[in-house]
Amino acid sequence: MTSANPLRVACIGMGWWSDVLADAIQRSGKLEIRSCYTRSDEKRNNFAAKYRCRPAASYEAMLADGEIEAIINTTPNDVHLATTCAAAAAGKHVFLDKPIANSISDGRAITEACRKAGVVLALGYQRRRESHFRYVKQQIEAGRFGKLVNAEANISRDRLGKVDLTSWRYQAAGMPGGVMLQIGIHYIDVLTYLIGPVHAVRAQSAQLVLPGDNPDVASLILQHENGALSTLNASYASASEYYLMNVYGKDMTAFYDLHNGLRLLKRGESQPVAVPCAVNDTLVEELEEFAAAARGQHQHEVGGEEATRSLAVVRAGILSAIEGRGVEVAEILNGDGKM
């Protein structure tokens, strides 16, 4: 097959997000779903019918299929290690939904397995690709912000009445840290992308509205390695979906929120200026980048090491909330590997 042919992929783990990614694959044309597998016969057959692909009898059979070049993995966090290592051993590239795993040790093992096998491991962190964040990044790199000093971020969803307590996504065992690991980690990635790596974390979390045993509200204070401070609030208990990302530099500030878009305010000016940013298809972009990387044409943006570090920030926040102290990310990365 030449590089002009679509990357032939198979999907494992049939849930709502698998369909979101499959829809993006269909919008792209640079990837093609050939097979799928999940343990539920009904889910597997429904997915196969919807996306016109072959249901595999087992994951092992799917991996043995020489036609399949790559795996789109949306399985629960706690089986990312086993499913990704099996794919790597079979010579399949892997697009893995975030987070990379629930533990640092698993994240490192996933990364190493793919490195040893010589296959691409790309993580699904699409929010950094939103056009407003790309624009802010360009302005930062051009020096227009001057020294970065501060940022504030909020990522909120309304999950009241929408929580299935039998789902791994809403249980402490399947999603330790609750809302911060499930959606907050997206904006940890964006803050790292814009401001730089996180050095230390202070955090608090609470369970205020949703049923179950997991935090539905969390707040982090992040100290970045360049000295800048940022705050991140994540919630499943708010009245509506909301996103905010304000980045403050010595010479310029960027204001972004879901309802008002992006605005920039330069030092000495009194009114921010709106910056129109077209809505881009971030899911298609990251999947096409993965396809290009699998064909050796492009370097993918977020791999195992970056994803493991984002996980370490969340794990530092979990430890901080439990122990009531600031936690350095290095403490998590250099610990016993269990966190």
Side-chain angles (χ1 to χ4, degrees):
M1 288 288 183
T2 67
S3 60
N5 295 114
L7 184 73
R8 302 181 303 275
V9 305
C11 299
I12 178 173
M14 312 286 90
W16 73 275
W17 193 248
S18 64
D19 285 27
V20 171
L21 291 181
D23 289 341
I25 287 171
Q26 291 194 327
R27 292 195 301 273
S28 166
K30 293 188 178 180
L31 304 90
E32 182 180 2
I33 303 172
R34 293 290 184 91
S35 183
C36 67
Y37 177 73
T38 194
R39 288 175 297 179
S40 164
D41 291 342
E42 181 181 6
K43 287 183 178 181
R44 183 167 70 245
N45 291 330
N46 287 344
F47 186 94
K50 183 177 181 179
Y51 296 105
R52 300 181 297 279
C53 64
R54 300 186 305 272
S58 67
Y59 187 42
E60 292 75 18
M62 192 168 80
L63 292 179
D65 186 343
E67 185 181 63
I68 302 303
E69 298 175 271
I71 302 299
I72 307 297
N73 189 342
T74 58
T75 57
N77 299 349
D78 61 358
V79 294
H80 282 183
L81 176 61
T83 54
T84 302
C85 287
K92 313 297 186 185
H93 305 289
V94 180
F95 181 91
L96 180 62
D97 188 39
K98 63 80 205 159
I100 189 169
N102 283 338
S103 71
I104 299 302
S105 57
D106 278 9
R108 284 180 165 150
I110 287 168
T111 303
E112 182 62 11
C114 291
R115 187 195 67 79
K116 282 187 173 179
V119 300
V120 170
L121 171 66
L123 275 294
Y125 281 99
Q126 77 276 9
R127 293 200 171 271
R128 63 162 54 204
R129 298 175 179 275
E130 293 170 7
S131 58
H132 36 268
F133 296 144
R134 293 302 205 199
Y135 184 86
V136 172
K137 178 69 169 178
Q138 290 168 1
Q139 302 305 302
I140 291 172
E141 290 183 337
R144 296 190 176 98
F145 276 74
K147 185 176 181 62
L148 295 171
V149 296
N150 195 221
E152 55 188 334
N154 186 303
I155 181 166
S156 297
R157 300 274 183 84
D158 172 21
R159 284 291 181 264
L160 185 62
K162 304 170 186 176
V163 172
D164 174 10
L165 290 180
T166 65
S167 169
W168 62 273
R169 294 180 184 274
Y170 298 106
Q171 297 176 15
M175 189 68 71
V179 66
M180 189 55 68
L181 182 59
Q182 190 163 358
I183 63 172
I185 198 168
H186 269 303
Y187 268 15
I188 288 172
D189 176 67
V190 173
L191 287 164
T192 300
Y193 169 67
L194 295 176
I195 301 174
V198 175
H199 170 67
V201 182
R202 282 189 174 271
Q204 286 191 287
S205 60
Q207 182 192 357
L208 301 178
V209 174
L210 300 187
D213 60 355
N214 233 358
D216 55 7
V217 177
S219 297
L220 270 62
I221 301 175
L222 308 174
Q223 179 189 0
H224 295 261
E225 289 183 358
N226 61 6
L229 300 178
S230 63
T231 59
L232 170 58
N233 293 315
S235 173
Y236 270 158
S238 54
S240 63
E241 186 173 33
Y242 185 64
Y243 306 104
L244 175 137
M245 179 71 67
N246 295 339
V247 180
Y248 302 90
K250 181 178 69 69
D251 300 324
M252 189 161 70
T253 297
F255 304 96
Y256 168 77
D257 77 85
L258 177 65
H259 305 300
N260 297 295
L262 178 65
R263 292 149 294 149
L264 295 181
L265 180 61
K266 296 179 182 178
R267 172 178 285 275
E269 296 182 352
S270 58
Q271 293 294 324
V273 176
V275 179
C277 294
V279 177
N280 57 319
D281 197 331
T282 58
L283 294 172
V284 168
E285 286 183 13
E286 68 175 358
L287 287 163
E288 290 185 349
E289 181 185 79
F290 168 64
R295 293 279 170 80
Q297 301 166 336
H298 195 280
Q299 178 64 40
H300 58 291
E301 195 160 319
V302 182
E305 290 184 4
E306 297 89 345
T308 301
R309 189 171 180 91
S310 290
L311 173 63
V313 175
V314 174
R315 300 292 326 199
I318 293 172
L319 187 60
S320 173
I322 292 171
E323 298 189 354
R325 64 180 178 90
V327 177
E328 293 187 2
V329 175
E331 179 181 338
I332 304 299
L333 291 172
N334 299 331
D336 62 8
K338 297 284 192 291
M339 289 290 289

